[in-house]
Amino acid sequence: MKSHSNTIINKYFIDKLKPVEIAKELNISKSAVTQVLQKDKRYQKEKIKRIEQNKENHNEKTKKYMKLKREIMKRKKDKDNIDLKSMHNQATAEFSKKKRITNMAYRNWNKTAFTYNEKRKGYEFRKELGRSYDVPKFIKVEV
């Protein structure tokens, strides 16, 4: 073990390896490495310093992860908003177009306003209702 003690101390303090890594490299147990290190005066300070560094690293990784997650959610939300806006624009365009309704469709929609004329083979608008210019007077039925 004495032959390894300088190597262990150098690898821990200079190369900044963990006791587990040193143990694997030298093919000895982790507890043997720790026992050698605990005899050194600098070990406790170094151990505390590494623990603090690990906490800082962990906090930084967590911040990066949360930032990335928020960015992904924002992009997804933006994409959903763009899709929704696109669908809204499409629906607006479709419903805003002037559509010409056929005379027969208008008659089916207003059945009581028209009477069937046998002689002319079509529907006539009832005069007593009063007709605007865009309402057909007569709708010929093609059979």
Side-chain angles (χ1 to χ4, degrees):
M1 186 60 72
K2 294 241 182 212
S3 62
H4 289 303
S5 54
N6 283 337
T7 310
I8 292 170
I9 290 172
N10 285 338
K11 288 191 180 289
Y12 185 79
F13 291 106
I14 296 170
D15 298 339
K16 303 292 183 190
L17 294 179
K18 297 176 185 176
V20 176
E21 295 167 337
I22 297 168
K24 277 185 184 177
E25 199 173 299
L26 300 176
N27 201 18
I28 55 176
S29 68
K30 181 190 170 240
S31 61
V33 172
T34 307
Q35 285 174 5
V36 171
L37 290 172
Q38 285 175 341
K39 291 176 185 172
D40 194 293
K41 298 174 206 169
R42 303 170 288 176
Y43 177 68
Q44 284 301 322
K45 284 184 183 178
E46 183 68 22
K47 185 177 175 183
I48 292 169
K49 182 180 161 187
R50 288 186 184 195
I51 288 171
E52 291 299 317
Q53 186 63 45
N54 285 340
K55 283 181 185 177
E56 286 178 28
N57 291 344
H58 175 73
N59 288 342
E60 287 301 314
K61 285 181 183 178
T62 303
K63 285 177 186 176
K64 284 181 183 178
Y65 172 76
M66 292 306 294
K67 188 176 181 181
L68 179 66
K69 194 170 182 180
R70 285 187 197 113
E71 185 66 30
I72 290 169
M73 291 302 289
K74 184 179 179 227
R75 286 182 186 163
K76 185 176 184 231
K77 188 176 178 183
D78 288 347
K79 183 187 178 305
D80 290 346
N81 286 342
I82 289 169
D83 290 346
L84 192 61
K85 192 172 185 177
S86 172
M87 288 169 32
H88 172 74
N89 289 340
Q90 182 180 358
T92 302
E94 287 175 5
F95 290 123
S96 296
K97 289 180 185 173
K98 277 193 170 183
K99 293 181 182 174
R100 182 115 176 115
I101 188 168
T102 65
N103 287 344
M104 204 57 192
Y106 186 82
R107 185 256 163 216
N108 290 336
W109 183 51
N110 296 298
K111 288 181 181 179
T112 57
F114 289 89
T115 55
Y116 186 71
N117 186 331
E118 277 293 325
K119 282 187 198 171
R120 295 181 69 191
K121 303 256 191 247
Y123 293 96
E124 289 181 325
F125 190 79
R126 292 176 35 206
K127 292 178 181 147
E128 66 270 12
L129 295 177
R131 183 183 71 79
S132 66
Y133 74 94
D134 57 343
V135 175
K137 277 186 192 176
F138 181 77
I139 303 170
K140 188 174 182 180
V141 179
E142 297 181 24
V143 185

